[in-house]
Amino acid sequence: AAEDDSEWKDGAKVKRKAACWRYFMCKFSETQAEKIAKVYCKICGPDFIVEHSGNTSNMRSHLAHVHKDVFCEMVTPAAGNGAGGAD
């Protein structure tokens, strides 16, 4: 189970730019205030906590393998937003 819920912050709300942060909660290091120590997937829940490696590769991989539909939605530009696509 997750540790004290008050220690966990929404990854999308802590000034993280990568789209995958929308799907993860994070906990900061007790010794280095700006360093994220652990993350968990909001979809899987807090029973699956992993150490954060300093980048989003493992989080993206988790979404790609475990939550394929979410990953595809995340990496496919929405119609009409000006990102990607041929005109």
Side-chain angles (χ1 to χ4, degrees):
E3 299 149 36
D4 180 10
D5 285 342
S6 66
E7 298 177 9
W8 292 93
K9 307 291 182 203
D10 187 330
K13 295 179 181 176
V14 291
K15 300 182 181 178
R16 303 293 168 194
K17 294 180 182 179
C20 60
W21 278 111
R22 283 181 278 175
Y23 306 100
F24 288 87
M25 296 294 286
C26 61
K27 180 179 177 182
F28 289 90
S29 167
E30 293 178 14
T31 57
Q32 295 175 298
E34 294 298 315
K35 183 178 180 186
I36 294 174
K38 297 178 182 180
V39 298
Y40 76 80
C41 173
K42 292 180 188 179
I43 301 166
C44 291
D47 290 330
F48 185 69
I49 298 171
V50 296
E51 299 295 320
H52 182 57
S53 60
N55 58 51
T56 59
S57 297
N58 290 336
M59 297 187 312
R60 287 177 56 88
S61 179
H62 172 77
L63 292 174
H65 291 94
V66 181
H67 308 292
K68 292 180 176 124
D69 55 335
V70 170
F71 182 76
C72 289
E73 181 180 303
M74 182 183 75
V75 299
T76 303
N81 72 355
D87 289 304

